[in-house]
């Protein structure tokens, strides 16, 4: 009976992890893009450069270039991290598809009393658990990072360099 319903059993476990994943994704889906811009203070970098161009005169192009370079580096780091997240989620989907395809074999091998054959079923469950748990873990870490960025900018107040009069 387990072999016949192996696809549905796997789908049930995947659905449980997807509920947790989507809980975190719904927590940050609307504010993610704006949160990156506000969290990394990209607007303040350019505002600082614009303020310094009006006050310093000749050295303004260097400051604006430095601010633009810093913003570009920050955006590049965020893009690489998001690309890694996308790659891991894509690998997770393909791996779960393949594990579901061979799930009847894993359920069959778990019923065989031979220890050497039973090892393959345990290995299948190990991979299935790892790939199923990857989604909630990644969604939680991204949610936590965005929440901490929002909390830290709200808790610290306006301590940005651009807001100080002497600079």
């Amino acid at each position: 009976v387990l072999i016949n319903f192996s696809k549905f059993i796997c789908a049930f476990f995947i659905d449980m992890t997807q509920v947790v994943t989507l809980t975190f994704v719904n927590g940050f889906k609307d504010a993610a893009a704006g949160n990156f811009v506000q969290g990394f203070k990209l607007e303040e970098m350019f505002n600082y450069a614009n303020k310094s161009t009006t006050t310093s005169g000749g050295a303004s192009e260097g400051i604006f270039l430095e601010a633009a370079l810093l913003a570009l580096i920050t955006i590049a780091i965020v893009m690489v991290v998001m690309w890694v997240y996308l790659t891991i989620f894509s690998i997770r989907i393909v791996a779960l598809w393949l594990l579901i395809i061979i799930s009847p074999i894993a359920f069959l091998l778990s019923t065989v009393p031979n220890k050497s054959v039973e090892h393959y079923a345990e290995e299948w469950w190990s991979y299935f658990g790892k790939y199923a748990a990857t989604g909630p873990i990644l969604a939680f870490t991204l949610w936590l990072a965005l929440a901490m960025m929002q909390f830290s900018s709200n808790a610290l107040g306006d301590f940005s360099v651009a807001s100080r009069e002497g600079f």
Side-chain angles (χ1 to χ4, degrees), residues 1 17 24 40 43 52 58 66-67 69 80 85 113 144 150-151 156 158 161:
V1 173
T17 60
F24 292 117
F40 288 115
E43 289 180 15
S52 65
E66 290 171 1
L69 185 62
V80 167
Y85 265 70
L144 185 63
Q150 182 180 7
F151 174 74
L156 294 176
D158 192 15
V161 177

Side-chain angles (χ1 to χ4, degrees), residues 80-91:
V80 167
V81 170
M82 290 297 108
W83 181 79
V84 168
Y85 265 70
L86 180 65
T87 304
I88 291 173
F89 272 113
S90 300
I91 290 171

Side-chain angles (χ1 to χ4, degrees), residues 7 12 24 41 50 60 74 87 120 141 156:
K7 178 183 175 188
F12 175 74
F24 292 117
K41 307 284 187 194
N50 287 336
S60 63
T74 304
T87 304
Y120 293 114
T141 56
L156 294 176

Side-chain angles (χ1 to χ4, degrees), residues 23-28 85 138-148:
T23 300
F24 292 117
V25 169
N26 286 332
F28 66 79
Y85 265 70
L138 287 177
F140 171 74
T141 56
L142 187 59
W143 170 80
L144 185 63
L146 291 171
M148 289 287 94

Side-chain angles (χ1 to χ4, degrees), residues 39-78:
F40 288 115
K41 307 284 187 194
L42 295 176
E43 289 180 15
E44 282 83 2
M45 287 181 203
F46 287 111
N47 288 339
Y48 173 70
N50 287 336
K51 277 188 176 182
S52 65
T53 58
T54 60
T55 59
S56 66
S60 63
E61 292 178 8
I63 293 173
F64 186 76
L65 184 63
E66 290 171 1
L69 185 62
L70 183 61
L72 182 66
I73 290 170
T74 304
I75 291 169
I77 291 171
V78 170

